[in-house]
Amino acid sequence: ASPPRPTSPPSATSGNGSHRRPITVLIVDDERTFGEALELALAHEEDLLIVDVATDGTQAVRSADRLHPDVVLMDVAMPGMNGIEATRRIKEADPDARIVILSGHDDEHLLARAVQAGATGMLRKTEAVVNVASTVRRAHRGEALHEPDELESAMRRLDEQGRAISIEEKPKEPK
């Protein structure tokens, strides 16, 4: 069973005026200025609460284990443990965690690897500051962040590439 999500004083109101707990968010990015930009972009959203900003995959796993955020915004390229490995470890410990991979590239192979590791989807860093609040809400609700055919194509290419690599890596039979 997954650990319980953190409880915070209700600060957000739904459309009918009733209070609900804000969506808790962990930001993970080794570029401090980008992490701060995301933090600023989310700071004015009443229904979102930043619980921590980590700067590498190891910190991300520790923070997620300690704080159990609803959504993790995870940079993919970090020194030490990368975002894909950190995602895999967080999902192993908490299958209900929603993780959105942040990348500077629109890479189909990376999307497939992120989803295989347990990520909800991927967001380009160039779109992140503008779209981050709506993406966090969608991820929290369990909505797809990508079109099904986009994911299917990415997974198929990863599978084909994996098969090609495994064939190439086989040692040649002696004659």
Side-chain angles (χ1 to χ4, degrees), residues 1-3 5 60-61 64-65 68-72 74 81 83-101 113-121 139 142:
S2 300
R5 297 280 172 220
V61 171
D65 188 48
H68 309 289
D70 296 313
V71 177
V72 179
M74 177 82 70
M81 185 189 308
I84 300 292
E85 179 61 19
T87 295
R88 189 184 63 71
R89 290 185 187 194
I90 290 169
K91 288 295 283 189
E92 281 177 1
D94 182 2
D96 295 330
R98 307 278 191 201
I99 302 169
V100 177
I101 294 290
R113 288 182 50 228
V115 170
Q116 270 187 333
T120 303

Side-chain angles (χ1 to χ4, degrees), residues 55-66:
T55 56
D56 64 42
T58 303
Q59 285 180 7
V61 171
R62 284 191 201 123
S63 277
D65 188 48
R66 189 178 81 249

Side-chain angles (χ1 to χ4, degrees), residues 46-173:
E46 288 185 15
D47 61 330
L48 305 178
L49 175 66
I50 307 299
V51 293
D52 198 9
V53 179
T55 56
D56 64 42
T58 303
Q59 285 180 7
V61 171
R62 284 191 201 123
S63 277
D65 188 48
R66 189 178 81 249
L67 301 168
H68 309 289
D70 296 313
V71 177
V72 179
L73 296 172
M74 177 82 70
D75 183 21
V76 70
M78 296 181 287
M81 185 189 308
N82 68 37
I84 300 292
E85 179 61 19
T87 295
R88 189 184 63 71
R89 290 185 187 194
I90 290 169
K91 288 295 283 189
E92 281 177 1
D94 182 2
D96 295 330
R98 307 278 191 201
I99 302 169
V100 177
I101 294 290
L102 302 171
S103 175
H105 312 287
D106 194 9
D107 181 342
E108 197 175 61
H109 182 256
L110 181 58
L111 171 61
R113 288 182 50 228
V115 170
Q116 270 187 333
T120 303
M122 192 169 80
L123 183 63
R124 286 182 56 164
K125 284 187 168 185
T126 54
E127 302 169 14
V129 175
V130 174
N131 297 327
V132 69
S134 63
T135 300
V136 166
R137 290 181 189 105
R138 288 175 58 206
H140 182 253
R141 289 190 301 260
E143 294 177 13
L145 301 182
H146 303 277
E147 294 298 322
D149 58 337
E150 180 185 9
L151 277 178
E152 203 173 294
S153 172
M155 296 304 277
R156 188 173 45 253
R157 286 215 175 129
L158 182 65
D159 183 51
E160 289 167 1
Q161 188 176 27
R163 273 191 263 128
I165 290 169
S166 65
I167 291 168
E168 291 169 12
E169 289 176 350
K170 283 186 179 175
K172 293 183 180 178
E173 294 291 325

